[in-house]
């Protein structure tokens, strides 16, 4: 039997209902179910009706038998997320951990951090998502936050802190497909021509080989083999917020995925740009008293890391002055892939050049180019069959 409530007013003590095991009715009309947890511990549940108490007791005993009953401490969602982030910090890349920390502490905690972990429900998350949509938050951002929350609460279930994952009862908004703006071959050639003899000259040549921004800014001279005409991608540079210090820091790490580590053959016009760039960099290095010897191919005037924010601002200005469409720096990677597809290069080769883990990613991402290729393929097919019939 459960321990009676300690109170001087015995009228408030629950009375046992005969034949119902550890189910009691209190003087205030609520029903109490007491579930044994072992080692002299018990879990006390309160309900408005006797039927609810009996059903809850049977369900809890069944979960206990299956070793699924939650026995963890009663903590707030904020407390749990702090605990969860501490664990994730060891397993995640610095950039991923920083992203998790930012979205959880800035978005989720202000909304639901005060709630008890075991009181969370799916409709609470649904209400928050609806509020964010009305405030103008991107559906894709909400979907990302939802996936992080679902992962965190999924671990809570695994660790017996929750009997089920309430985030699974919420539905994030549909993914919003972003219209991709890319440069075609003629625009890419115009960009390189406009950037000649500027600090962007060589950087844009290499960027149009399909490198990600982090791969480009983390590239070192040791990664380039001029004899083999090859470039090796084996690291990526990130500029991330460190939650522990509150400052942004440069971090060299592994590329995005295992397949991102790749070797790219260099065309002659890119090799020429790299050789000219290295010559100019060696000259600046010999005349600098504060040169940072990081072996970076693309660096500041003193050899340091390039701030991605500064790069974006200067790149937008370059596009404007060149009379070209306003695109993100990452869209140079998309431009490269689109140009390759338009030139008829095998998608499997493009997948390897971009470092995609699966060819379906390549085809799905650049499906906008395929319709124009269909007509070219049919024209080629038509011409081939006409020759055989003549």
């Amino acid at each position: 039997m459960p321990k009676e409530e300690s109170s001087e007013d015995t009228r408030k003590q629950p009375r046992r209902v005969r034949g119902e095991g550890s189910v009691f009715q209190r003087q205030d009309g609520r029903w109490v179910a007491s579930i044994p947890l072992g080692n002299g511990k018990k879990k006390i549940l309160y309900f408005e009706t006797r039927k609810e108490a009996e059903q809850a007791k049977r369900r809890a005993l069944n979960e206990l038998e299956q070793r699924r009953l939650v026995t963890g401490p009663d903590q707030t969602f904020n407390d749990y997320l702090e605990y969860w982030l501490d664990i994730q910090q060891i397993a995640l890349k610095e950039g991923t951990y920083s992203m998790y920390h930012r979205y959880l502490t800035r978005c989720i905690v202000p909304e639901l951090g005060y709630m008890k972990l075991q009181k969370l429900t799916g409709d609470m998350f649904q209400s928050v998502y609806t509020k964010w949509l009305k405030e103008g938050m991107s559906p894709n951002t909400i979907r990302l936050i939802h996936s992080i929350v679902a992962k965190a609460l999924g671990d809570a279930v695994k660790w017996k802190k929750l009997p089920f994952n309430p985030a699974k009862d919420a539905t994030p908004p549909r993914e919003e497909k972003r219209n991709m703006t890319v440069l075609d071959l003629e625009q890419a050639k115009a960009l390189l021509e406009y950037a000649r003899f500027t600090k962007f000259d060589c950087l844009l040549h290499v960027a149009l080989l399909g490198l990600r921004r982090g791969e480009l800014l983390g590239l070192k001279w040791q990664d380039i083999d001029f004899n083999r005409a090859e470039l090796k991608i084996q690291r990526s540079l990130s500029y991330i917020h460190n939650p522990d210090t509150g400052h942004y820091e440069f971090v060299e790490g592994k590329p995005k995925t295992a397949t991102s580590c790749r070797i790219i053959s260099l065309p002659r016009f890119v090799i020429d740009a790299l050789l000219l760039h290295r010559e100019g960099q060696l000259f600046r290095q010999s005349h600098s008293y504060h040169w940072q010897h990081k072996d970076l191919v693309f660096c500041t005037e003193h050899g340091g890391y390039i701030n991605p924010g500064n790069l974006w601002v200067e790149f937008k200005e370059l596009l404007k002055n060149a009379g070209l469409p306003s695109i993100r720096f990452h869209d140079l990677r998309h431009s490269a892939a689109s140009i390759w597809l338009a030139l008829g290069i095998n998608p499997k080769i493009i997948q390897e050049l971009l470092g995609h883990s699966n060819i379906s990613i390549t085809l799905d991402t650049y499906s906008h180019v395929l319709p124009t290729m269909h007509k070219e393929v049919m024209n080629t097919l038509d011409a081939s069959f006409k020759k055989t019939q003549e």
Side-chain angles (χ1 to χ4, degrees), residues 120-265:
L120 291 170
T121 60
D123 65 300
M124 291 179 181
F125 291 104
Q126 199 72 61
S127 178
V128 170
Y129 298 162
T130 301
K131 174 189 173 186
W132 287 343
L133 278 174
K134 291 180 179 178
E135 292 174 348
M137 184 181 288
S138 162
N140 293 348
T141 300
I142 297 175
R143 289 178 65 86
L144 175 58
I145 296 174
H146 173 76
S147 67
I148 298 171
V149 170
K151 176 178 172 63
L153 293 178
D155 286 338
V157 174
K158 182 172 64 177
W159 298 332
K160 306 297 188 296
K161 292 178 178 291
L162 283 176
F164 63 92
N165 187 339
K168 288 188 175 182
D169 292 333
T171 305
R174 290 182 180 181
E175 182 180 2
E176 187 177 64
K177 290 291 185 181
R178 179 182 177 275
N179 291 327
M180 189 182 298
T181 304
V182 297
L183 303 179
D184 60 25
L185 178 58
E186 294 305 314
Q187 290 172 324
K189 289 164 66 175
L191 176 63
L192 293 182
E193 181 62 30
Y194 187 85
R196 282 186 74 190
F197 308 119
T198 72
K199 64 180 180 181
F200 280 99
D201 188 1
C202 184
L203 185 143
L204 292 176
H205 275 75
V206 180
L208 285 169
L209 295 178
L211 276 69
R212 298 179 178 91
R213 184 185 65 187
E215 296 169 349
L216 192 68
L217 299 185
L219 190 65
K220 298 190 176 185
W221 289 111
Q222 62 184 278
D223 303 324
I224 300 175
D225 189 329
F226 286 101
N227 293 326
R228 290 178 173 270
E230 291 179 345
L231 179 155
K232 184 182 296 184
I233 303 296
Q234 53 188 355
R235 76 181 60 77
S236 181
L237 181 69
S238 301
Y239 187 59
I240 60 176
H241 180 262
N242 186 332
D244 297 330
T245 64
H247 301 297
Y248 279 84
E249 302 172 356
F250 288 103
V251 177
E252 285 187 15
K254 294 181 180 179
K256 187 176 182 180
T257 63
T259 52
S260 296
C261 295
R262 59 200 189 277
I263 296 177
I264 299 175
S265 296

Side-chain angles (χ1 to χ4, degrees), residues 79-92:
D79 292 338
Y80 170 72
L81 289 177
E82 288 183 354
Y83 166 76
W84 184 77
L85 283 169
D86 282 342
I87 295 175
Q88 297 303 310
Q89 189 172 13
I90 301 174
L92 298 174

